[in-house]
Amino acid sequence: MSLNTTDLEAVRAGARERLGHTTTVEAVEELRQHLLGRSGELTTLLKGLGSAAPEERPELGRLANEVRTEVEDAIGERLAALRDAALDDRLEAEALDMSAPGRPMPVGHLHPVMTLMRDLREIFHAYGFEVFEGPEIETEEYNFELLNIPADHPARDLWDTLYVAEPGTAGTDQGRPAEDGTILRTHTSPTQIRAMRALEPPIRVLTPGRCFRYEAVDASHGFEFFQVEGLVVDRDTSLADLKGLLEEVARALYGRDVETRFRPGYYPFTEPSVAFDIGCLVCGGEGCAACGRSGWMTILGAGMVHPTVLRAGGYDPDEFQGYAFGMGPDRMTMLRHGIGDIRLFFSADRRFLDQFPDGR
Ligand code: DAH
């Protein structure tokens, strides 16, 4: 078939039209093969140049070259445009918005017992108390003797003690308590002696800390628990000061309307000794299972520091007096939230802990 102008113009127009409809690089490559490949439309036409009439040949040759160049250029431009567009799309898809807020990181929160102890620290801080900490591993001397509890005194039975074993005998049949009397403290009261020996009066200290007892664990007894001890030593302290202070603390913690009462108690290291109760927060004082039908709950023991204990601390009881108290923050936290089982505190169960997102 011989080459003619009409066919060339038709290929030129067709190529432009079909190029305009391509939307992918692959489609353009396919079209390039279709037009310019070895047996492509335009290639086939150009092969017919030789059989054209000699006088038409120069003009036809010029036009054929023009069409081929134009088609090649158009294909190149279309490819470039499609590649640009694809890049734009990718850039948009992968765009990083530097102003977007970050993903929130989960942060933990305080254990409700820790929160209560911090609240106590805040409250007592307002009354001039500073924190004075003591060791969790104590000696029988500090835990008992210096607190007016001699070795053979029946009051020792009040504290079921975990003894630290003599080196080499732990876990064996011969396991026996360490000769130097090392134990796990059963209460924070030994810190009273340490504070009196370390500080100068007037003393106003608060001792939060972990305590340990050889307990049969149940809903209201843990073998590991917390106490917050308080001690005041000065020249002119009285039971009235102690009562006024504790009533204010109860109001700060449980609200202005909380009912309070003092009962006589017994502790070897205080004389007189009292127990401090608050009106049951579960039943409002009516009497329920939580308060043993009494309408009251004991949250601490307290009293005037025994003269023997003052002497052990290095003071003359005729010159200095003091009062002390020992609070049970686990119990106090149970009251605060109406928690029925002390074992939940150490269960590390997120379903329990997550109920106190701000520690309260
Ligand atoms: N240490 C006592 C206990 O564990 C609590 C206590 C009672 C502490 C009276 C005191 C106090 O400081 O004066 O049972």
Side-chain angles (χ1 to χ4, degrees):
M1 197 190 93
S2 67
L3 186 61
N4 63 66
T5 319
T6 321
D7 287 349
L8 277 173
E9 289 299 350
V11 169
R12 168 154 50 192
R16 220 182 264 142
E17 152 100 32
R18 284 152 77 184
L19 253 188
H21 287 132
T22 53
T23 52
T24 64
V25 170
E26 291 73 34
V28 178
E29 290 295 354
E30 209 172 290
L31 187 59
R32 188 211 296 272
Q33 276 303 314
H34 186 75
L35 294 168
L36 304 166
R38 202 181 294 182
S39 48
E41 250 171 58
L42 195 53
T43 317
T44 313
L45 274 187
L46 294 180
K47 278 182 193 151
L49 185 61
S51 51
E55 65 277 11
E56 287 179 1
R57 239 181 258 165
E59 179 51 23
L60 272 176
R62 196 197 53 75
L63 183 64
N65 265 330
E66 189 185 298
V67 170
R68 183 168 55 193
T69 314
E70 204 181 300
V71 167
E72 278 172 353
D73 287 354
I75 285 176
E77 274 165 32
R78 186 74 191 146
L79 276 179
L82 283 173
R83 286 199 174 112
D84 275 359
L87 190 63
D88 283 351
D89 285 352
R90 219 180 112 190
L91 281 177
E92 197 169 320
E94 292 176 6
L96 190 62
D97 181 357
M98 302 301 283
S99 67
R103 290 196 191 96
M105 293 284 287
V107 233
H109 57 80
L110 287 178
H111 190 282
V113 176
M114 287 301 135
T115 304
L116 185 124
M117 296 213 289
R118 285 197 179 192
D119 290 348
L120 282 177
R121 196 175 64 188
E122 287 277 306
I123 294 164
F124 279 99
H125 182 73
Y127 291 98
F129 284 73
E130 61 178 318
V131 170
F132 183 95
E133 288 188 295
E136 292 173 359
I137 300 175
E138 262 294 3
T139 61
E140 287 185 278
E141 189 189 12
Y142 274 91
N143 198 84
F144 296 121
E145 268 110 86
L146 295 171
L147 289 172
N148 198 29
I149 315 166
D152 51 5
H153 196 281
R156 278 237 177 158
D157 295 348
L158 292 174
W159 293 275
D160 296 306
T161 308
L162 287 160
Y163 289 84
V164 173
E166 186 66 24
T169 72
T172 69
D173 289 345
Q174 294 80 37
R176 57 175 187 277
E179 250 160 50
D180 61 1
T182 306
I183 60 165
L184 300 183
R185 69 175 171 197
T186 61
H187 51 181
T188 44
S189 300
T191 319
Q192 290 187 27
I193 305 292
R194 295 186 180 277
M196 281 191 274
R197 291 183 174 180
L199 306 171
E200 294 286 326
I203 293 171
R204 290 173 95 78
V205 290
L206 202 63
T207 297
R210 206 180 284 269
C211 305
F212 310 86
R213 284 187 201 172
Y214 183 61
E215 293 279 2
V217 174
D218 64 24
S220 53
H221 295 86
F223 67 89
E224 185 186 18
F225 56 97
F226 288 94
Q227 283 194 346
V228 178
E229 189 88 9
L231 173 71
V232 170
V233 177
D234 207 343
R235 289 174 193 277
D236 193 16
T237 60
S238 73
L239 197 61
D241 296 341
L242 171 66
K243 290 179 73 175
L245 173 68
L246 292 180
E247 276 169 359
E248 281 309 312
V249 170
R251 288 196 191 105
L253 203 59
Y254 293 113
R256 305 292 320 165
D257 297 333
V258 72
E259 296 278 342
T260 61
R261 79 173 181 191
F262 289 87
R263 286 184 293 121
Y266 171 71
Y267 298 101
F269 31 87
T270 42
E271 181 59 38
S273 302
V274 295
F276 183 59
D277 299 346
I278 63 167
C280 179
L281 295 168
V282 178
C283 62
E286 298 281 304
C288 65
C291 60
R293 315 267 159 222
S294 71
W296 297 94
M297 287 177 164
T298 305
I299 59 167
L300 60 87
M304 298 303 291
V305 181
H306 196 286
T308 303
V309 176
L310 281 168
R311 267 188 225 103
Y315 298 104
D316 176 357
D318 290 332
E319 205 181 332
F320 291 99
Q321 320 82 46
Y323 55 82
F325 48 90
M327 300 176 274
D330 301 84
R331 164 69 79 88
M332 291 162 87
T333 307
M334 291 169 77
L335 286 179
R336 186 183 233 187
H337 300 292
I339 296 165
D341 194 322
I342 200 169
R343 290 169 289 196
L344 287 166
F345 288 145
F346 288 99
S347 64
D349 187 335
R350 289 282 301 271
R351 289 169 304 178
F352 171 70
L353 295 171
D354 287 348
Q355 294 176 50
F356 313 97
D358 61 353
R360 291 193 174 80

